[in-house]
Amino acid sequence: MAKANDKDKRGSATIALNKRARHEYHIDQHFEAGIALQGWEVKSLRAGRVNLGDAYAIVKSGEIFLFGASIVPLISASTHVVADDRRTRKLLLHREEIDKIIGAIERKGYTLVPLAMYWKNNHVKLDLGVARGKQEHDKRDSERERDWQREKQRAMRARNREA
């Protein structure tokens, strides 16, 4: 019984979201990747000090790396370590997944965008999206659709309150 209560107290497993990615790109495929982190980075992630806004992933010599993700070091956790908050981090995927990603990038001109970072069984995972860029009219259409859905929900709630 105590373990179930402990899980409820921990809160959300999501560490960070890249909201801009869904606005800028059409996401076609999702991959779950592990990340090779250092100890001070894990402590900073537990404190929620990460930014995925400018991050992207590239393929280099058959491996995938995360660039531009900022994990700000905690003062207390990195006293003996020289911390680089924007260092290149290796993403951990199966070979078949890497081959699928490389095929999509090279043949179809897709890009790799980090969408979310979260905890899964005490490991940090990254939701990696294989995406293609949206044009300006696509962005306006998705914004219009989002606004319409919001208005529709408001109208339904108002109608349900009256009934």
Side-chain angles (χ1 to χ4, degrees), residues 109-163:
Y110 285 90
T111 186
L112 286 173
V113 181
L115 302 173
M117 192 178 285
Y118 55 92
W119 293 103
K120 183 176 180 184
N121 298 333
N122 291 330
H123 296 287
V124 178
K125 299 292 181 177
L126 184 76
D127 185 16
L128 195 63
V130 177
R132 53 190 161 85
K134 283 185 182 178
Q135 294 180 349
E136 195 62 37
H137 65 276
D138 291 333
K139 293 177 189 177
R140 286 193 299 266
D141 288 343
S142 61
E143 190 172 326
R144 196 175 303 122
E145 178 66 25
R146 187 176 61 239
D147 290 343
W148 163 244
Q149 292 296 332
R150 193 177 301 134
E151 287 296 321
K152 191 166 66 171
Q153 285 297 325
R154 284 183 188 148
M156 292 296 287
R157 270 191 244 119
R159 183 164 168 85
N160 287 340
R161 276 189 232 132
E162 293 170 3

Side-chain angles (χ1 to χ4, degrees), residues 14-153:
T14 303
I15 301 169
L17 291 173
N18 188 355
K19 293 179 182 177
R20 200 174 97 195
R22 298 207 186 269
H23 180 71
E24 299 282 334
Y25 299 98
H26 290 288
I27 311 298
D28 288 344
Q29 287 182 314
H30 291 266
F31 291 95
E32 182 181 70
I35 309 172
L37 296 172
Q38 296 176 350
W40 66 267
E41 291 173 325
V42 176
K43 289 182 179 182
S44 294
L45 290 178
R46 289 197 190 281
R49 300 182 58 139
V50 62
N51 183 7
L52 294 177
D54 297 331
Y56 61 96
I58 65 164
V59 177
K60 188 175 181 183
S61 66
E63 296 178 333
I64 299 179
F65 294 92
L66 181 66
F67 280 93
S70 176
I71 300 176
V72 181
L74 297 173
I75 306 276
S76 62
S78 58
T79 56
H80 62 286
V81 177
V82 178
D84 180 16
D85 66 333
R86 289 195 177 265
R87 76 175 184 89
T88 302
R89 295 167 181 93
K90 184 176 178 180
L91 297 179
L92 309 172
L93 290 154
H94 291 285
R95 174 53 53 194
E96 299 86 36
E97 294 174 328
I98 293 173
D99 292 340
K100 283 181 189 177
I101 290 171
I102 290 173
I105 290 172
E106 289 180 354
R107 274 180 261 142
K108 300 176 186 171
Y110 285 90
T111 186
L112 286 173
V113 181
L115 302 173
M117 192 178 285
Y118 55 92
W119 293 103
K120 183 176 180 184
N121 298 333
N122 291 330
H123 296 287
V124 178
K125 299 292 181 177
L126 184 76
D127 185 16
L128 195 63
V130 177
R132 53 190 161 85
K134 283 185 182 178
Q135 294 180 349
E136 195 62 37
H137 65 276
D138 291 333
K139 293 177 189 177
R140 286 193 299 266
D141 288 343
S142 61
E143 190 172 326
R144 196 175 303 122
E145 178 66 25
R146 187 176 61 239
D147 290 343
W148 163 244
Q149 292 296 332
R150 193 177 301 134
E151 287 296 321
K152 191 166 66 171
Q153 285 297 325

